[in-house]
Amino acid sequence: MNTVTATSVDSSALLGLAARMQQLFTDREHLVSVPLTPVAYRDSDFRFDGALDLGQARVHAEFSDLVNRIPTQPVWSPGDAPHLWDIYGEVLAADLADSTLTPNEQQRYQAASAYLYTVGAGGASSPSPALSDYRAARQAWLQADADYHQGEQAAAMSSDPAVRDRWTRELEPRLRQVRDDAMEAWQTTGHKSPVEDAVRELSELALKAPSSIWKRHRDTFNPNLPDQFSTSPNGVRYAPTFYTPAAALSLPWTRVTLDRQLLLTLASQAPPQLTSTLGGIDDAVQSLAFDYRVVSLVRPWLDPPLELFGSRSWRLPPGTTPLSDGGNPPQGRCPIYVESVALARNLDLTRRVTDPIVVNRGDTALKGTWILDLDTGDQGGDLFSGDVWWEWLTETSAQMTPGRRSSIVNLGVVDFDTLTLDRLVTLTYGNVPIPGNPDASNQLVDGDVFAVMTSEGNFAKVLVVKYGYNMLIRWVTYRWGGPSEEHSVTTPQDTFLAAFVCRLLPKSPDPDPSLPW
């Protein structure tokens, strides 16, 4: 087995990873966008929990810019697409419906808001301890649920009875228990029911009090004010965006192995935009393994996005292109936004390779009218075991004739040293002799190269060093060695942004005509 460190990610690995991520995380509320050019960060630079050094600050700014571009789907290529904070600024400046909260509803609204958010001295809101616990527990359950479905789908797509049996007997009960435990933790220490009740209460009452919601968001971050942004080390402004759990790079990751059959199935089901760019799974690929973990994005400046984008108590000026038409899939200026990111590391692409073995090689004077066995290097013998006959028909007529069980092709004056076995096996061989007359019609000139498929099924390249009745030649005869595995692995320090899991925006804006405007 041979292991090499990959300096780039193979297209087969990218296709397998992309197709798996799309299958795993696409649902009725989410679409998945995958980058066809690998996006990778060094582990030491991709940690944002605490004071940031210069490298971390640079990567944090780049990451914040990247995940807040309005995505394209299924292939990630946002280019110069607007940022989510630009769209957010438009919504903050939108026309709002009048407030119609009753005193009792105002009390309920304030109680729900106080349970979910803590307001700082400057008026900026941040998640309360209960909401923070909820999000951490929800993230743990999402990872456990993704792990369960990854195993379930892998077993369902496998034709190996042993794989399906192991899923049924061992993996399914264990992963189901992990998911159940995560749900129990979400319901208890994660305050699932009270937080969701408060969110529901806030959402229902917010329709009658849009000005209060908009004020809370403006007090936290107003993208229409330039001084609200952070500035990267290279002078680019951005709104800081993080991921949770913040310690994700130090937590356990799930290891996934996709065998050849599963890779081929995934490739056949992948969107045409992926396969047209990345091609298919090449013939040598046997498997792809990788570690993955899903992290949710944390935007302190937009929390939560759907509280504004999903509200029906705002509208844009007439004639403005909507953010989303709510279709399937949605269309518009901001039909989706990145909600979470699937990270991957330790990619290991396994190929079955066969190494060339030199059967024989040498330099000799091939005598006129003699036969050469390129497998042994012997001259003499007959055309049954021999490979080429330097045949002189008359003093003015000669040709290089293949043996009865060999075949030949002339390549002309080419680079002998760079001609490999991989190239030799692709050539088209035949039984037509190569002209070698001692006149202008001669093709076996000094520097000419011809190839031979030998009587033993090997492949030889032959260089004419000096033409003549006794021709000086150089040859190398190859055969394939036994197959072996070659592993192309990424460095442990690299973390890849394997997929962007994007939340579908409902119809937005979708002003409620029954509200007072």
Side-chain angles (χ1 to χ4, degrees):
M1 181 183 72
N2 183 34
T3 300
V4 296
T5 301
T7 56
S8 61
V9 181
D10 185 276
S11 61
S12 290
L14 283 175
L15 177 59
L17 185 62
R20 191 70 182 112
M21 294 296 103
Q22 289 203 325
Q23 184 193 60
L24 196 56
F25 297 113
T26 300
D27 58 37
R28 63 185 181 84
E29 294 182 341
H30 298 89
L31 295 176
V32 177
S33 179
V34 294
L36 298 187
T37 301
V39 179
Y41 296 116
R42 302 287 287 180
D43 179 285
S44 57
D45 291 335
F46 195 48
R47 296 174 181 267
F48 309 143
D49 50 340
L52 306 185
D53 61 27
L54 186 62
Q56 291 169 333
R58 176 187 58 78
V59 168
H60 184 220
E62 183 179 317
F63 177 77
S64 297
D65 178 272
L66 187 67
V67 298
N68 286 296
R69 294 282 183 179
I70 305 304
T72 56
Q73 196 280 332
V75 173
W76 176 269
S77 55
D80 295 327
H83 291 95
L84 186 61
W85 53 69
D86 296 324
I87 302 298
Y88 176 42
E90 280 190 63
V91 176
L92 283 183
D95 183 27
L96 302 179
D98 296 333
S99 177
T100 59
L101 282 182
T102 67
N104 176 262
E105 289 173 332
Q106 183 68 37
Q107 281 187 330
R108 288 164 50 200
Y109 173 83
Q110 291 174 346
S113 181
Y115 181 69
L116 295 174
Y117 299 99
T118 300
V119 180
S125 297
S126 59
S128 67
L131 182 55
S132 296
D133 291 343
Y134 173 92
R135 289 175 173 173
R138 175 181 177 273
Q139 185 62 38
W141 180 85
L142 287 173
Q143 183 68 46
D145 186 59
D147 291 346
Y148 181 90
H149 287 298
Q150 141 60 29
E152 181 182 44
Q153 292 172 8
M157 295 172 69
S158 176
S159 61
D160 187 346
V163 171
R164 297 197 298 269
D165 183 67
R166 182 168 182 254
W167 165 253
T168 302
R169 293 177 177 273
E170 176 188 345
L171 298 180
E172 194 281 335
R174 175 166 62 81
L175 292 176
R176 175 161 39 87
Q177 186 62 55
V178 171
R179 187 176 63 172
D180 290 346
D181 291 346
M183 176 56 74
E184 182 178 357
W186 189 8
Q187 291 172 334
T188 54
T189 58
H191 321 291
K192 186 175 188 294
S193 293
V195 166
E196 290 178 354
D197 287 344
V199 169
R200 191 177 304 109
E201 178 91 321
L202 207 61
S203 177
E204 292 173 356
L205 295 175
L207 191 63
K208 297 183 176 183
S211 60
S212 298
I213 296 291
W214 261 245
K215 181 180 185 303
R216 176 167 63 81
H217 280 272
R218 287 194 195 99
D219 288 345
T220 301
F221 177 81
N222 189 346
N224 297 313
L225 303 176
D227 62 355
Q228 302 271 296
F229 288 87
S230 298
T231 304
S232 70
N234 60 353
V236 177
R237 71 170 196 165
Y238 68 99
T241 302
F242 304 85
Y243 59 77
T244 184
L249 300 187
S250 300
L251 296 175
W253 288 39
T254 300
R255 187 69 173 172
V256 174
T257 299
L258 309 176
D259 61 22
R260 178 170 180 79
Q261 177 201 346
L262 187 51
L263 286 170
L264 292 173
T265 302
L266 288 169
S268 69
Q269 298 173 353
Q273 296 94 321
L274 289 182
T275 53
S276 64
T277 302
L278 295 173
I281 304 299
D282 73 49
D283 294 340
V285 170
Q286 300 301 303
S287 66
L288 171 67
F290 57 88
D291 300 331
Y292 86 97
R293 187 172 185 92
V294 183
V295 295
S296 293
L297 294 184
V298 177
R299 297 180 174 95
W301 47 275
L302 178 55
D303 187 15
L306 284 179
E307 185 176 47
L308 295 186
F309 296 142
S311 171
R312 301 192 64 195
S313 57
W314 63 279
R315 62 190 180 188
L316 294 173
T320 304
T321 303
L323 305 185
S324 172
D325 62 5
N328 183 26
Q331 304 292 323
R333 292 186 293 131
C334 181
I336 56 178
Y337 65 90
V338 181
E339 187 175 72
S340 56
V341 181
L343 306 177
R345 65 186 180 191
N346 297 322
L347 276 66
D348 182 349
L349 185 70
T350 302
R351 276 191 168 84
R352 186 179 297 274
V353 296
T354 51
D355 297 322
I357 293 176
V358 175
V359 176
N360 206 297
R361 68 193 310 161
D363 292 85
T364 192
L366 177 55
K367 302 172 184 177
T369 74
W370 283 55
I371 296 170
L372 174 63
D373 187 330
L374 291 166
D375 293 313
T376 65
D378 296 334
Q379 291 193 53
D382 56 39
L383 286 175
F384 182 80
S385 59
D387 297 307
V388 289
W389 177 21
W390 185 207
E391 181 182 9
W392 280 79
L393 304 172
T394 68
E395 291 184 356
T396 59
S397 177
Q399 59 187 13
M400 192 66 68
T401 303
R404 293 174 184 170
R405 295 190 299 138
S406 60
S407 50
I408 196 168
V409 60
N410 193 37
L411 304 179
V413 179
V414 298
D415 191 335
F416 176 81
D417 292 330
T418 60
L419 192 58
T420 64
L421 178 56
D422 287 310
R423 174 67 177 135
L424 291 174
V425 298
T426 66
L427 300 176
T428 301
Y429 296 85
N431 297 315
V432 178
I434 303 170
N437 305 328
D439 57 31
S441 67
N442 178 34
Q443 294 185 17
L444 297 171
V445 297
D446 295 355
D448 182 69
V449 178
F450 59 92
V452 179
M453 184 187 298
T454 74
S455 60
E456 297 299 324
N458 300 320
F459 295 87
K461 60 180 181 180
V462 183
L463 171 68
V464 177
V465 178
K466 183 65 175 177
Y467 173 82
Y469 182 80
N470 293 326
M471 183 187 298
L472 298 181
I473 63 169
R474 175 176 301 149
W475 85 94
V476 183
T477 303
Y478 302 97
R479 68 173 173 82
W480 287 119
S484 62
E485 286 188 350
E486 180 180 271
H487 291 260
S488 179
V489 300
T490 58
T491 62
Q493 295 80 19
D494 285 341
T495 298
F496 293 85
L497 308 189
F500 301 94
V501 185
C502 305
R503 182 65 179 253
L504 277 71
L505 216 61
K507 185 177 181 180
S508 182
D510 185 22
D512 186 340
S514 67
L515 295 176
W517 296 87

